[in-house]
Amino acid sequence: MSKELEVGPTASLSPGTVLGAGRYAVGNANDELFAVTRRCRHLYADLADGTIDVDGCLTCPWHGAKYEVQTGRMVRGPQGIFAKIPGLGFAFKTLTRVLPLGRGRVTERDDTLYVE
Ligand code: FES
């Protein structure tokens, strides 16, 4: 049984915003609300500190891996020095096809958002 957590006022999650709520990074990607588990699959950065790119993907704050928020899959591997390691990005993308980020459900009541 999952437990519902309050995220905050609906107005606090404008497009492009990401917040942390318990184990979830909750965000607004092009007016689509989403919740994914907040630890990056690479080195466990907090994805609640991430950003939303123009394609609506969640970008990790540490090394720039990108996640598709609808599926929890990594669609771009870690950048910077990690991008020079042959096969690393491919390995993470493959891993998250099998073990994507967990996804939560975002609901709204009385101008407040909740995740479970
Ligand atoms: S910790 Fe997220 S890309 Fe490295």
Side-chain angles (χ1 to χ4, degrees), residues 14-73:
S14 56
T17 303
V18 186
L19 301 171
R23 63 189 289 253
Y24 292 106
V26 181
N28 182 334
N30 302 329
D31 283 323
E32 179 184 344
L33 302 183
F34 70 87
V36 294
T37 48
R38 62 196 281 181
R39 293 297 162 192
C40 181
R41 288 283 199 248
H42 177 221
L43 292 176
Y44 309 109
D46 187 350
L47 294 172
D49 294 331
T51 55
I52 306 293
D53 75 359
V54 293
D55 298 321
C57 290
L58 175 60
T59 304
C60 176
W62 285 4
H63 311 113
K66 287 188 183 184
Y67 291 90
E68 185 177 70
V69 295
Q70 297 87 355
T71 63
R73 291 179 178 171

Side-chain angles (χ1 to χ4, degrees), residues 8 10-11 16 22 25 36 38 45 49-50 68 80-82 84 89 98 102 104:
T10 302
V36 294
R38 62 196 281 181
D49 294 331
E68 185 177 70
I81 60 168
F82 296 105
K84 296 178 180 162
V98 180

